[in-house]
């Protein structure tokens, strides 16, 4: 599979932001990229390492940049690890499995940030397009515990932002965390504010450049699940 421009770089930078901007202790932050991001590595982190981090009634933050495939029968979205292939599910990691891991045990809530290029599963009928199903019915866990910030909700390449040397979604995600997303000037950036800010910025840049736009998406939608849209992310100094 072709690589995604800036993906490994973005993973490192976001990992640094988790520590310095979100204030997460360094020993509780894991960054996996390229050859360290095999399917077995991802499973080990989410299903074995994460539950041992003592996140009782805490918040888990996950950022993923790269490629994903959409099953053209079910719409299920699966991330392609470094050793993944489009030709079979054996080397992919479904978002359903990932969400089950995030909501297992006593984790209070999870914030999942996805900067993914989407393509149909191998052998799909090119004339049949099934929209991605971001929250599968079998995702498990209690409802209302995961907020998804989706940088690219359509079946297309996620765009890079050359001036910022990041993925486009990630560039504005980072800028928003630094304070640009503090829309109500309260001194704190909340998840709902970050969703709103990133959506507006990505839409403006892509429509101006190509006329077609890259559509971001936050789930639950604005106005629903205020507990999830009100998670504090960063404080503005």
């Amino acid at each position: 599979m072709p690589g995604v421009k800036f993906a490994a770089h973005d993973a490192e930078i976001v990992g640094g932001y988790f520590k310095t901007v979100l204030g997460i202790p360094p020993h509780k932050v894991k960054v996996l990229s390229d050859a360290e991001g095999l399917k077995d590595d991802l499973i080990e982190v989410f299903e074995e390492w994460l539950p041992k981090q003592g996140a009782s009634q805490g918040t888990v933050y996950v950022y993923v940049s790269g490629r994903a495939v959409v099953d053209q029968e079910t719409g299920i979205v699966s991330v392609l690890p470094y050793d993944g292939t489009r030709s079979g599910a054996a080397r992919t990691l479904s978002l359903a499995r990932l969400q089950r891991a995030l909501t297992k045990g006593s984790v209070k809530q999870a914030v999942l940030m996805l900067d993914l290029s989407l393509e149909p599963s191998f052998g799909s009928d090119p004339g049949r397009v099934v929209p991605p199903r971001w929250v599968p019915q079998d995702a498990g866990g209690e409802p209302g515990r995961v907020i998804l910030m989706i940088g690219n909700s359509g079946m297309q390449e996620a765009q890079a932002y050359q001036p910022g040397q990041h993925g486009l979604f990630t560039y504005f995600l980072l800028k928003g965390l630094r304070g640009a997303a503090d829309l109500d000037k309260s001194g704190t950036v909340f998840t709902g504010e970050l969703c709103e800010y990133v959506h507006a910025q990505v839409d403006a840049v892509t429509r101006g450049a190509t006329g077609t736009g890259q559509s971001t998406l936050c789930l639950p939608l604005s106005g629903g699940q205020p507990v999830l849209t009100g998670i504090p992310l960063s404080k503005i100094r």
Side-chain angles (χ1 to χ4, degrees), residues 28 52 73 81 92 99 113 118 124-125 156 182 220:
K28 291 183 179 293
K52 297 176 183 176
E73 296 297 325
T92 64
Q99 289 181 65
M113 311 168 197
L118 300 179
S124 301
D125 178 358
Q156 61 183 8
D182 182 19

Side-chain angles (χ1 to χ4, degrees), residues 80-196:
L80 277 171
Y82 189 72
D83 57 340
T85 66
R86 286 178 59 210
S87 58
R91 302 313 305 167
T92 64
L93 181 67
S94 72
L95 288 185
R97 183 169 183 174
L98 175 53
Q99 289 181 65
R100 279 196 297 270
L102 295 180
T103 56
K104 187 175 289 186
S106 56
V107 171
K108 182 179 180 181
Q109 55 209 1
V111 180
L112 182 53
M113 311 168 197
L114 303 172
D115 195 348
L116 298 171
S117 291
L118 300 179
E119 50 194 281
S121 52
F122 184 76
S124 301
D125 178 358
R128 182 172 185 264
V129 178
V130 176
R133 184 191 295 174
W134 298 103
V135 185
Q137 295 177 348
D138 63 345
E142 298 174 17
R145 292 174 63 189
V146 179
I147 181 169
L148 290 93
M149 299 183 181
I150 301 159
N152 172 40
S153 63
M155 200 75 72
Q156 61 183 8
E157 286 282 314
Q159 297 189 37
Y161 188 55
Q162 194 67 40
Q165 299 288 290
H166 290 290
L168 180 64
F169 168 75
T170 301
Y171 174 78
F172 287 111
L173 192 74
L174 297 173
K175 189 173 181 180
L177 287 172
R178 291 198 305 268
D182 182 19
L183 303 181
D184 63 0
K185 307 302 180 185
S186 66
T188 300
V189 174
F190 294 93
T191 45
E193 289 181 308
L194 187 59
C195 284
E196 185 177 343

Side-chain angles (χ1 to χ4, degrees), residues 67-90:
R67 294 192 178 278
V69 293
V70 179
D71 188 285
Q72 290 300 278
E73 296 297 325
T74 64
I76 290 175
V77 180
S78 296
V79 174
L80 277 171
Y82 189 72
D83 57 340
T85 66
R86 286 178 59 210
S87 58

Side-chain angles (χ1 to χ4, degrees), residues 3 40 64 69 71 79 137 165 200 202 214 223 229 233-234:
D40 289 345
V64 183
V69 293
D71 188 285
V79 174
Q137 295 177 348
Q165 299 288 290
V202 170
Q214 175 176 307
T229 56
L233 296 171
S234 59

